Amino acid sequence: MGSTNRFRAAALLTALALPGGSTAGPERAPAPAAGARAGGARAGGVITTGQRITPAGIQTVFTGRVEGLAFGADPDELLVLVQANRGAPASVVSRIGWRENRLRGEIPLPGGGSPGLQGIRPDPVAGAMVVSYVGAEPGSAGARPPRGAQLATVRGDSVARLTGIIGRTEVGAAAIARGKSPDGRRRAVVPLTFDNQLAVVDVETGELLKKVPTGIAPFGAVIDSAGTVAYVTNWGGRRPRAGDLTARAGQRANSDEVVVDARGIASTATVTRVDLVRGVATHTIPVGLHPTAIVWDEARGRVYVAAGNEDAVTVIDSRTDEVARTIRIAPFQDATPGLAPTALVLSPDGGTLYVTLGGINAVAVLDAATGELKGLVPTAWYPDAIAISADGKTLAVGAMLGIGSGTLTEEQAAEPGGRPSGMGERTPAGTGFVHNYRGAVNVIPVPGEAELGAYTVAVASNAGLHLAGGSSGRLLLPARAGIAPRAVPERPGEPSAIDHVVYIIKENRTYDQLLGDVRKGNGDPDLTIYGPSVTPNHHRLAEQFVLLDNFYATGGNSGDGHQWATQANETDYAMWGFTGRSYPFNGTDPIAPAWGGFLWDAALAAGKQVMIFGEYAGNFRGSGLSDRLGNLAAYRAGEDFAGRIHQVAPNRRVDSLLAHEYPGWTLSIPDVVRARLFLKRLDGWERAGTMPNLVIVHLPCDHTSGTRPGTSTPAAFVADNDLALGQIVQGLSHSRFWKSMAILVVEDDAQAGVDHVDGHRTVALAVSPYIRRGSVDHTWYAQQSILKTIELMLGLRPLSVFDLTATPLSASFMGPGEAPDFTPYTAVEPRQSIYEANPPATALRGPARRAALRSQRMDFLDVDAAPTDELNRILWHTAKGWETPYPGVKHSLFFPMAVDLADEERETEPEAAAERAGSHTSAAADETEMLDSGKTDR
């Protein structure tokens, strides 16, 4: 890819109109960089969190995620670490002449590297940069050479490996000593996040000197000028002691045991002090949760640590190795979690500390001595890196998510290997793609007092929050007495007509895929692949109750989608650091959750009764139910599946609330079986005359497994999901609890399809006697809107800044005095058979055969383990025909807030999948092997 593809100077255009009518104000445009294209990037807009983006300073936009930056030896140069998008040749260090706004060059990382976050640091002596990254082993060859953590040195426009592989999977940023230690070596230290070690390297020879054990998941490090002492932050905290409550950080048998609280959330965080001369850890210092970045004011003996999951900065006295104080970052009237400190930098005089806040797209400016908040500076989406010029006059802020994802250029579409589908086609140029990230860097003159005041107001306005001490009051207001009940109260604790909420979470569809053919909504029927013959209940529920045609999934895949759908937040670890440990969609990694907790935690705190069916309950690993077609046959024969399932959730709090007879994630158990199990519980509630206030249900089978031989067709999967939903709603609406009930339905994400408005627009349903029947609600909503609605109905506290500021679904529900309609819902059978099976690959030819063999190779034992883009194409062509071009996303306003694996990283050998499943592979595995060798490509 040429430099003009990967780098663009952003033409910061005026108001970006979005669904719901929101706009962002005009921003000034920089001159275009030489050789780069201006245009196509907008400075402002509304993102899926509901926040506006209006970054300060001069903005430069990159094709890829910005994951680190530093001012160069030349003070006019900025070096930016850019994580390549899927299909791009390599991640790069971009050299930017920031004063003239010009691209000076791009330096690919060796070995196809994937950079460590914040993984570029200046060598204070050599006039070079040191980059930490994960890449192929030096000198290795082959289709899948060994990969691991290593260091490279960037000098001028060249790059050279400094080390070989020193660790696995994930790596933090290096810290480099200025001077030599008593043994004559100049040291660098590198946190090995996956290995729970700190690597000590001779920065002049590249020799690995030692690895020192740390706490769990080390991330940030600092080193003294003499190279004798280092401090390293530990995301997962200290090692457990006897009597600690613990949970495993991942599904592997050897995964780390992490100390947790009663909610199952990691509850310790530490900094490890290391004596580099002796090569031993000397102190374990407790700090704020999720310690990420760390800086050391050696002259004053202060070590500052960003607490990403606690909205704070911990200050350690390096002379005593004890915590000196904790600086709470609380600029707003409502002190609700979610500001997410991510990166730190000190002014050259040590007087000012700058803290990037990923959750509110801002930089906090703090008095380093007192901790006083001086103000906030607006940035692009999710700032994750920051640097300051040597003269202290200029800040550079890197934003991982920048301005949102964009469309493919002609060059990207034409590049060999750029966007392979596996089916012999490429994504057309000009179409949007949710993983086509556009990170950003903003160069900002350090503001004076008046300008900082204006910036601070802008940050509050963008976030929808009120500044502490300002004229506007709190958003979270106390309940009022004498208020008439309504379905969605205006304030938590005010009377609601709803006593029972059923919250149903499904998997991975866009609005247009299911409801694009509903004429009264904003849909594109040409993109509908699962219309009324496949999803009659979705259509009837949307028609009979309310059509929500402007609803968005905040997350971009299941790893963050289930976090947003249950906790209205996502942590730094879930965005950067879980690789190799877990995929945190299902409660298998206690480091991932936000400290604000989950919806069920808020319900329990309010004295409500809760029951969970499958959500956040881990994967189903039971034996005897791995044959989906056999389970469908048993369902058809009337089997009730009693006693055949016992699900145990990895999260203890969830397990205590779990319907254990209902499975966690698996596609082998049809959703109609899940519905049968749920309705049996409902019968018990009917007999007892009582039902939980909050019921959460996972219905995952609209995920599908492509055209994998020996299982259901994609349409049968989706029809199964549709019928199960209809059966559950029918049962609930005919129950004694219907008169005080709301049923809310959402997808965890929308990555498995296309949509003409945006790749994040998804299916959401609201069903209740208090719905404005037959209406269309065009209000802009996202997943946190559903959580806000539930919180108001049940009188729960907000979980984060995101549901605090979200718009509830009030416009869909009746107000006080309007008469509810208690007419129950009657489910219908889809015309599409739920029993239809994919044919064997031997019965197919051409692209259909290749799709079946590719589907056979994909891993469906874990959610999102199959290659997303390729699976989407298989679903499209199976429904529309192999000659119908794949459309791509026509517009993309938002994009996912999590790392998505490359397709090749999602593949699994059939034998490996079978080993994890505890079953044997089918005969199609032999054909897959033949296909790989080229013997059956016909």
Side-chain angles (χ1 to χ4, degrees):
M1 180 183 294
S3 64
T4 56
N5 287 343
R6 197 176 289 114
F7 169 85
R8 299 180 196 170
L12 304 186
L13 306 179
T14 55
L16 169 61
L18 290 155
S22 296
T23 59
E27 296 285 334
R28 56 180 177 157
R37 272 195 294 250
R42 289 175 168 87
V46 178
I47 57 177
T48 58
T49 59
Q51 300 164 328
R52 291 172 20 139
I53 298 294
T54 58
I58 298 297
Q59 179 161 268
T60 303
V61 176
F62 300 81
T63 299
R65 288 172 33 145
V66 170
E67 303 211 344
L69 54 76
F71 283 96
D74 175 353
D76 292 343
E77 185 166 271
L78 194 63
L79 290 99
V80 183
L81 192 56
V82 183
Q83 168 70 64
N85 285 332
R86 285 161 48 181
S91 299
V92 299
V93 178
S94 285
R95 298 173 54 229
I96 307 300
W98 62 270
R99 292 189 191 273
E100 69 268 29
N101 193 24
R102 181 174 65 88
L103 176 66
R104 293 181 174 178
E106 286 183 319
I107 309 164
L109 291 181
S114 175
L117 194 75
Q118 302 172 12
I120 184 166
R121 292 287 186 266
D123 184 324
V125 173
M129 292 288 158
V130 174
V131 176
S132 54
Y133 70 103
V134 175
E137 187 172 34
S140 59
R144 293 188 179 180
R147 291 170 59 84
Q150 48 197 302
L151 298 181
T153 301
V154 177
R155 183 177 283 104
D157 58 0
S158 64
V159 62
R161 281 192 177 90
L162 178 62
T163 69
I165 289 178
I166 57 175
R168 297 174 292 172
T169 308
E170 284 290 288
V171 60
I176 306 149
R178 177 177 294 276
K180 293 184 178 181
S181 56
D183 61 1
R185 294 184 182 271
R186 196 162 65 87
R187 288 178 167 83
V189 293
V190 192
L192 303 177
T193 307
F194 180 83
D195 298 314
N196 300 331
Q197 293 176 322
L198 184 70
V200 185
V201 174
D202 186 315
V203 77
E204 295 178 343
T205 67
E207 180 186 355
L208 176 64
L209 302 176
K210 192 174 183 64
K211 293 183 181 180
V212 180
T214 63
I216 297 169
F219 176 76
V222 289
I223 190 170
D224 68 342
S225 57
T228 60
V229 174
Y231 293 90
V232 58
T233 66
N234 302 305
W235 246 326
R238 61 173 173 80
R239 303 283 182 168
R241 306 183 187 117
D244 282 337
L245 188 64
T246 65
R248 188 180 296 169
Q251 299 183 74
R252 293 186 175 89
N254 62 346
S255 296
D256 293 316
E257 289 288 335
V258 175
V259 180
V260 298
D261 66 5
R263 303 170 300 170
I265 298 174
S267 59
T268 73
T270 57
V271 166
T272 302
R273 181 189 182 276
V274 178
D275 181 327
L276 297 175
V277 177
R278 293 187 293 147
V280 296
T282 62
H283 295 73
T284 297
I285 306 164
V287 294
L289 295 174
H290 283 213
T292 52
I294 181 170
V295 294
W296 190 355
D297 183 346
E298 201 174 343
R300 296 169 180 81
R302 299 178 192 146
V303 177
Y304 299 91
V305 184
N309 205 10
E310 207 167 318
D311 296 347
V313 173
T314 303
V315 185
I316 298 170
D317 186 332
S318 59
R319 293 161 296 197
T320 64
D321 291 316
E322 295 180 346
V323 172
R325 74 152 122 27
T326 298
I327 302 170
R328 301 289 174 190
I329 303 176
F332 305 114
Q333 297 275 17
D334 298 280
T336 308
L339 306 188
T342 53
L344 304 170
V345 72
L346 275 167
S347 61
D349 63 5
T352 302
L353 180 68
Y354 299 93
V355 186
T356 58
L357 302 176
I360 59 168
N361 315 305
V363 174
V365 183
L366 301 175
D367 184 299
T370 66
E372 177 190 357
L373 178 65
K374 297 180 177 180
L376 303 166
V377 180
T379 70
W381 191 358
Y382 203 87
D384 63 330
I386 189 168
I388 192 166
S389 60
D391 61 9
K393 295 180 179 180
T394 306
L395 291 171
V397 181
M400 178 189 287
L401 309 182
I403 64 166
S405 58
T407 59
L408 296 176
T409 65
E410 293 289 345
E411 291 91 337
Q412 282 178 298
E415 278 178 354
R419 289 293 311 122
S421 72
M423 298 297 112
E425 64 173 324
R426 297 184 186 279
T427 302
T431 58
F433 181 50
V434 294
H435 299 306
N436 198 41
Y437 302 118
R438 294 184 297 176
V441 169
N442 289 83
V443 177
I444 308 166
V446 169
E449 185 176 350
E451 191 173 17
L452 183 57
Y455 279 154
T456 303
V457 172
V459 170
S461 176
N462 289 345
L465 293 161
H466 297 153
L467 290 168
S471 58
S472 300
R474 294 165 57 93
L475 294 177
L476 188 58
L477 297 172
R480 298 164 295 186
I483 300 296
R486 57 191 305 165
V488 185
E490 293 181 351
R491 302 180 184 183
E494 292 183 348
S496 173
I498 304 299
D499 291 328
H500 307 287
V501 176
V502 179
Y503 182 25
I504 300 174
I505 303 173
K506 306 188 319 98
E507 287 286 334
N508 297 19
R509 295 289 140 230
T510 68
Y511 177 92
D512 274 341
Q513 279 187 299
L514 269 64
L515 300 176
D517 59 350
V518 179
R519 292 187 176 182
K520 63 183 180 180
N522 179 17
D524 185 343
D526 291 340
L527 300 182
T528 302
I529 60 176
Y530 303 122
S533 64
V534 181
T535 57
N537 290 290
H538 284 78
H539 281 74
R540 284 165 60 89
L541 290 167
E543 291 275 8
Q544 292 182 16
F545 291 90
V546 59
L547 178 67
L548 301 169
D549 67 349
N550 200 13
F551 189 102
Y552 300 86
T554 312
N557 55 39
S558 293
D560 58 358
H562 284 270
Q563 312 276 354
W564 282 104
T566 58
Q567 61 181 14
N569 202 353
E570 183 185 11
T571 64
D572 42 25
Y573 176 85
M575 294 182 68
W576 319 332
F578 61 84
T579 303
R581 293 175 179 272
S582 68
Y583 187 57
F585 83 101
N586 62 353
T588 55
D589 193 336
I591 309 177
W595 189 247
F598 294 90
L599 185 61
W600 48 83
D601 296 318
L604 293 173
K608 304 298 181 181
Q609 294 180 316
V610 182
M611 180 161 282
I612 299 173
F613 291 79
E615 175 63 24
Y616 221 70
N619 290 7
F620 175 70
R621 300 297 191 193
S623 60
L625 290 172
S626 60
D627 178 8
R628 178 178 172 86
L629 297 181
N631 293 332
L632 279 165
Y635 166 82
R636 195 175 200 173
E639 182 174 336
D640 66 2
F641 291 82
R644 298 194 63 188
I645 296 167
H646 184 75
Q647 183 71 33
V648 177
N651 179 293
R652 288 183 178 85
R653 170 65 62 82
V654 173
D655 195 63
S656 70
L657 306 171
L658 204 63
H660 293 285
E661 74 277 13
Y662 191 99
W665 162 261
T666 179
L667 296 177
S668 64
I669 299 177
D671 280 347
V672 288
V673 172
R674 288 179 167 89
R676 184 167 285 174
L677 295 167
F678 176 85
L679 293 172
K680 188 173 182 181
R681 275 280 184 164
L682 178 59
D683 287 342
W685 296 336
E686 285 273 23
R687 290 192 300 272
T690 184
M691 175 184 175
N693 305 103
L694 175 62
V695 176
I696 303 176
V697 182
H698 190 206
L699 282 183
C701 284
D702 56 340
H703 183 286
T704 86
S705 60
T707 55
R708 186 184 185 94
T711 190
S712 300
T713 65
F717 261 111
V718 178
D720 163 44
N721 177 263
D722 176 83
L723 180 56
L725 176 65
Q727 290 170 340
I728 288 173
V729 174
Q730 174 178 292
L732 290 167
S733 67
H734 283 82
S735 75
R736 66 167 70 188
F737 311 108
W738 173 238
K739 292 185 178 181
S740 60
M741 180 180 293
I743 305 167
L744 301 171
V745 184
V746 75
E747 303 283 336
D748 77 307
D749 65 66
Q751 69 169 325
V754 297
D755 188 276
H756 85 281
V757 172
D758 176 73
H760 279 69
R761 195 172 65 138
T762 194
V763 177
L765 301 167
V767 180
S768 173
Y770 298 90
I771 289 291
R772 301 183 191 277
R773 295 269 188 150
S775 63
V776 180
D777 188 350
H778 299 300
T779 309
W780 191 97
Y781 296 125
Q783 285 166 327
Q784 55 270 29
S785 299
I786 283 191
L787 270 70
K788 176 72 166 283
T789 303
I790 295 172
E791 290 159 6
L792 290 171
M793 288 174 170
L794 298 182
L796 315 182
R797 60 169 176 82
L799 301 169
S800 74
V801 295
F802 304 109
D803 53 334
L804 172 68
T805 58
T807 301
L809 274 60
S810 303
S812 295
F813 286 85
M814 297 174 179
E818 295 183 78
D821 183 345
F822 296 116
T823 305
Y825 176 75
T826 300
V828 292
E829 190 94 16
R831 293 197 303 275
Q832 164 66 50
S833 170
I834 68 171
Y835 305 105
E836 182 181 60
N838 290 318
T842 53
L844 302 170
R845 294 293 181 270
R849 176 183 176 81
R850 290 193 292 273
L853 293 171
R854 292 295 297 132
S855 297
Q856 176 65 39
R857 188 180 177 88
M858 294 175 187
D859 178 7
F860 294 102
L861 295 174
D862 286 315
V863 72
D864 289 350
T868 305
D869 187 49
E870 187 172 1
L871 177 60
N872 292 352
R873 293 165 184 273
I874 290 172
L875 300 184
W876 170 266
H877 290 303
T878 302
K880 294 286 192 178
W882 292 97
E883 302 303 319
T884 304
Y886 184 72
V889 183
K890 296 182 181 177
H891 303 285
S892 190
L893 307 176
F894 322 117
F895 67 106
M897 296 183 70
V899 177
D900 190 47
L901 299 179
D903 281 2
E904 62 270 16
E905 294 177 288
R906 293 183 179 279
E907 293 181 5
T908 184
E909 296 298 330
E911 293 80 4
E915 182 180 351
R916 289 192 293 110
S919 61
H920 296 288
T921 58
S922 69
D926 297 330
E927 287 198 284
T928 302
E929 185 175 343
M930 294 173 67
L931 178 72
D932 291 341
S933 66
K935 297 177 181 177
T936 65
D937 191 12
R938 58 186 181 212

